[in-house]
């Protein structure tokens, strides 16, 4: 069960040093040292689950003991990257509500043992929370077999076609730019120079047709890569309910599993970009108070979902929630604020080139009506509703974000108003949520409504 | 309901910090033509008036209140904020004292919840009262899992 998996990365450092020093012997010593350190670290890291407390001891010289009461567990993640799968091991992370990525990370557990430990942790958690009666023997022995697994109910399953659409309409499009930039840099360093020395007239021979084909090819590769990236990341995506826990399984090469007890759901965020709105798709992210260190690994999210299924999924994730009601628009004054808020800086920025670079600089003034349109779109995106113990808040011009906050989950709330908002009788409500992420916002609602919402959000938190 | 304000202490504290800041940012003795000198003199006077007036206004806008179930803070002249923190969400409370605050015998109370974005600090509390206030809030926060 030796963690050779992360070894490669750690060997890079000494490897570079050794190459710099120019000696195979130095390299060998470096490898031996790192290897010894890894083995020792692994050897000295022990964990035991005892009486509802996970105790992890680690450290070669300075011993460090971590105690995590199981009832404090927010989320348990299981990651098996390609190198882990090759060696039959897994990384288990246990997240608590402590910020800054604290929590426990157990590397290089045998895959079966990781699975068993996860079941036992979550079972111990439900027992501690009182949702499941304790077994006759109160003390959970470290060797106790994993408890029986309740039946799994699939909530969402995505096929490759849906994932490809997610990739084509999602953030993967931008990832390609990052990737392309890296490749270009590389190509620039290696092969571009001889190419630059070519006679420019050679390009004229190729003609515009070549560039059209090249551009089309680039776009095809770009879209293909985006779709493929989404499929590789989320292949076999399954969101399911096992007892009162949410399970997410995904990944073609790197298998990632996240487990989030329903009672730990802090908020659900629904994002709809413009292209997805046209296709009737949404993406959903489920927040617990844990996470933060490796945001991507611990995310419990649905990359893409037909909008028609949203209510069904929400009903499973937030028990007791009703289908999302129609949202209340803020007053007309908010429209003026939304437009002014965008037009003012746009005008200020556009005036400079318009005056300095006549006559073509005047084109910059086109940004002003553009900003006005964005303002109208932003206003149309605003809305909120308070319904059956949940606050629903929506905002965003091009990507609409809807936050669903169970009222019992709000940590604190604020009503904030700028002088311009006050003149229009408006204010913004912010609701602070446990865990990473920004507060939920009800933007530009009338001041009286914002104050009333604040009272219901923090006043009605059930103990 | 228990509304409290510490008039004089916070006033001195805010005035003191603002004054130092303005003094630092003011231009040195003018070695420029007289209109510039006069202008900077007017500016300095205006700044002095502001230094005198602003902290009073800022302090006047600062209120905190312990209601039955929440700690409520109202503050801000330009951007006005009204925060409400339910007691049972309170995770822990820090008391911080900067050198200026120490010199003036003041403390700042920082209330934290499980949300990193909760913004609840009460500046300018007489040092002797800070611990009492903390204990009151903690006593009301009770026990239990606040997440």
């Amino acid at each position: 069960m030796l963690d050779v998996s992360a070894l490669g990365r750690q060997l890079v450092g000494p490897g570079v040093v050794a190459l710099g020093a120019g000696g195979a012997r130095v390299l060998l010593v470096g490898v031996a040292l790192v290897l010894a350190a890894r083995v020792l670290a692994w050897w000295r890291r022990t964990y035991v689950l005892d009486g509802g407390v996970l105790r992890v001891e680690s450290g070669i010289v300075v011993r460090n003991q971590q105690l995590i009461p199981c009832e404090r567990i927010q989320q348990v993640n299981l990651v098996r990257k390609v190198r882990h799968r090759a060696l039959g091991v897994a990384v288990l992370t246990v997240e608590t509500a402590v910020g800054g990525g604290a929590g426990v990370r157990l590397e290089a557990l045998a895959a079966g043992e990781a699975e068993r430990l996860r079941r036992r942790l979550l079972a111990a958690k439900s027992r501690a929370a009182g949702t499941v009666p304790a077994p006759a023997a109160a003390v959970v022995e470290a060797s106790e077999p994993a408890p029986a697994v309740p039946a799994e109910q699939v909530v969402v399953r995505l096929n490759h076609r849906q994932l490809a659409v997610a990739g084509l309409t999602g953030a993967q499009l931008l990832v390609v730019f990052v990737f392309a930039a890296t490749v270009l840099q590389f190509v620039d360093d290696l092969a571009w120079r001889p190419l630059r020395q070519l006679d420019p007239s050679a390009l004229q021979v190729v003609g515009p047709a070549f560039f059209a084909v090249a551009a089309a090819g680039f776009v095809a590769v770009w879209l293909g890569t985006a779709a493929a990236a989404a499929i590789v990341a989320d292949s076999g995506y399954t969101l399911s309910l096992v007892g009162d826990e949410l399970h997410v399984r995904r990944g073609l090469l790197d298998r990632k599993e996240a487990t989030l007890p329903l009672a730990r759901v802090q908020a659900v965020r629904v994002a709809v970009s413009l292209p997805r709105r046209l296709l009737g798709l949404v993406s959903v992210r489920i927040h617990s108070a844990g996470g933060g260190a490796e945001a991507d690994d611990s995310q419990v999210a649905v990359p893409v979902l037909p909008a028609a299924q949203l209510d069904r999924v929400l009903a499973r994730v937030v028990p007791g929630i009703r289908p999302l009601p129609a949202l209340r628009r803020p007053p007309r004054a908010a429209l003026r604020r939304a437009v002014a808020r965008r037009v003012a800086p746009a005008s200020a920025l556009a005036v400079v080139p318009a005056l300095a670079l006549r006559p073509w600089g005047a084109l910059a003034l086109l940004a002003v009506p553009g900003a006005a349109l964005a303002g109208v779109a932003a206003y149309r995106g605003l809305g909120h509703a308070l319904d059956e113990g949940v606050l629903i808040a929506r905002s965003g011009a091009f990507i609409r974000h809807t936050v669903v906050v169970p009222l019992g989950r709000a940590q604190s709330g604020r009503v904030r108003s700028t002088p311009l908002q006050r003149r229009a009788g408006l204010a913004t409500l912010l609701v602070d949520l446990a865990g990473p992420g920004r507060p939920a916002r009800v933007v530009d609602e009338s001041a009286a409504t914002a104050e009333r919402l604040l009272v219901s959000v923090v006043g009605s938190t059930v103990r | 309901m228990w509304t409290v304000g510490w008039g004089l202490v916070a006033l001195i504290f805010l005035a003191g910090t603002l004054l130092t800041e303005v003094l630092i940012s003011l231009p040195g003795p003018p070695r420029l033509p007289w209109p510039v000198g006069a202008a900077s003199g007017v500016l300095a006077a205006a700044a002095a008036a502001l230094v005198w007036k602003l902290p009073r206004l800022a302090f006047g806008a600062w209120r905190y209140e312990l209601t039955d179930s929440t700690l409520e803070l109202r503050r801000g002249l330009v951007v006005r904020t009204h925060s409400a923190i339910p007691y049972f969400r309170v995770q822990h409370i820090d008391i911080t004292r900067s050198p200026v605050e120490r010199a003036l015998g003041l403390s700042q109370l920082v209330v934290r919840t499980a949300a990193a974005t909760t913004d609840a600090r009460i500046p300018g509390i007489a040092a002797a009262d800070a611990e009492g206030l903390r204990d009151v809030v903690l006593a009301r926060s009770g026990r239990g899992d606040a997440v």
Side-chain angles (χ1 to χ4, degrees), chain A residues 23-105:
Chain A
R25 220 178 314 166
V26 183
L27 179 70
L28 222 63
V29 171
V31 169
L33 273 180
V34 171
L35 207 64
R38 293 295 300 185
V39 173
L40 265 179
W42 173 79
W43 194 259
R44 299 285 284 154
R45 174 181 279 266
T46 59
Y47 64 89
V48 62
L49 180 62
D50 182 16
V53 176
L54 175 67
R55 195 166 67 226
V56 178
E57 290 185 37
S58 61
I60 302 172
V61 181
V62 180
R63 294 292 282 169
N64 180 15
Q65 191 182 54
Q66 265 179 301
L67 295 175
I68 296 189
C70 285
E71 83 241 37
R72 298 280 176 179
I73 292 175
Q74 294 282 338
Q75 200 173 321
V76 181
N77 302 319
L78 210 59
V79 175
R80 306 183 64 203
K81 299 201 168 170
V82 177
R83 55 171 197 262
H84 298 124
R85 292 172 74 187
L87 295 165
V89 297
V91 179
L92 183 86
T93 50
V94 180
E95 292 176 359
T96 61
V98 178
V104 165
R105 188 179 160 87

Side-chain angles (χ1 to χ4, degrees), chain A residues 273-292:
Chain A
S273 61
L274 195 58
R276 285 192 179 168
R277 193 152 71 215
L278 298 176
L279 293 170
L281 298 172
V282 301
S283 66
V284 182
R285 205 186 263 190
I286 301 157
H287 286 260
S288 75

Side-chain angles (χ1 to χ4, degrees), chain B residues 21-60:
Chain B
E21 273 173 28
V22 172
L23 278 182
I24 290 166
S25 63
L26 275 183
R31 301 196 196 293
L32 296 159
W34 67 268
V36 181
S40 77
V42 171
L43 269 182
L50 275 183
V51 166
W52 185 244
K53 195 67 192 163
L54 266 184
R56 283 175 166 67
L57 290 174
F59 177 75

Side-chain angles (χ1 to χ4, degrees), chain A residues 373-396:
Chain A
L373 283 179
V376 174
Y379 172 74
R380 292 167 63 91
L382 291 179
H384 83 271
L386 193 63
D387 183 65
E388 289 290 308
V390 291
L391 172 72
I392 302 149
R394 190 182 64 193
S395 64

Side-chain angles (χ1 to χ4, degrees), chain A residues 291-375:
Chain A
E294 278 178 66
D296 183 51
D297 284 351
S298 60
Q299 246 176 45
V300 180
V302 187
V304 71
L305 186 73
Q309 291 188 30
L310 180 60
D311 281 334
R312 183 179 63 81
V313 171
L314 278 180
R316 307 302 287 275
V317 173
V318 185
I321 194 178
R322 295 194 305 196
L324 289 187
L327 299 188
R328 207 186 108 152
R329 282 252 177 97
R332 295 294 289 180
L335 173 61
R336 289 191 290 277
R337 281 299 316 134
V339 172
R341 197 175 276 155
R342 285 162 184 81
V343 165
S347 322
L349 284 177
V351 159
V352 179
L355 291 180
L357 307 167
R358 268 177 284 187
W360 292 108
L363 279 180
L365 290 176
L366 282 179
V368 176
L373 283 179

Side-chain angles (χ1 to χ4, degrees), chain B residues 10-147:
Chain B
L11 181 87
I12 297 165
F13 164 49
L14 289 170
T17 42
L18 268 182
L19 185 66
T20 29
E21 273 173 28
V22 172
L23 278 182
I24 290 166
S25 63
L26 275 183
R31 301 196 196 293
L32 296 159
W34 67 268
V36 181
S40 77
V42 171
L43 269 182
L50 275 183
V51 166
W52 185 244
K53 195 67 192 163
L54 266 184
R56 283 175 166 67
L57 290 174
F59 177 75
W62 234 116
R63 287 274 178 281
Y64 75 86
E65 190 176 327
L66 301 173
T67 70
D68 289 343
S69 60
T70 56
L71 169 66
E72 309 227 349
L73 317 172
R74 287 169 205 271
R75 64 191 178 284
L77 278 175
V78 181
V79 177
R80 268 186 215 156
T81 311
H82 171 201
S83 308
I85 303 110
Y87 297 122
F88 75 97
R89 292 297 192 199
V90 173
Q91 295 276 348
H92 71 266
I93 301 179
D94 295 333
I95 295 180
T96 65
R97 308 189 68 198
S98 71
V100 175
E101 286 171 317
R102 275 207 300 279
L104 295 166
L106 298 173
S107 289
Q108 180 167 196
L109 217 65
V110 185
V111 179
R112 298 199 192 277
T113 69
T117 52
T118 294
D119 175 28
R121 40 186 70 234
I122 313 177
I125 297 174
D129 300 334
E131 292 193 10
L133 181 61
R134 177 191 62 190
D135 293 343
V136 168
V137 174
L138 281 183
R140 293 188 185 194
S141 77
R143 303 186 135 267
D145 189 353
V147 181

Side-chain angles (χ1 to χ4, degrees), chain A residues 411-412 414 431-440, chain B residues 113-120:
Chain A
Q411 293 289 328
S412 61
R414 288 168 272 164
V431 179
D432 300 303
L433 302 169
R438 299 192 312 160
Chain B
T113 69
T117 52
T118 294
D119 175 28

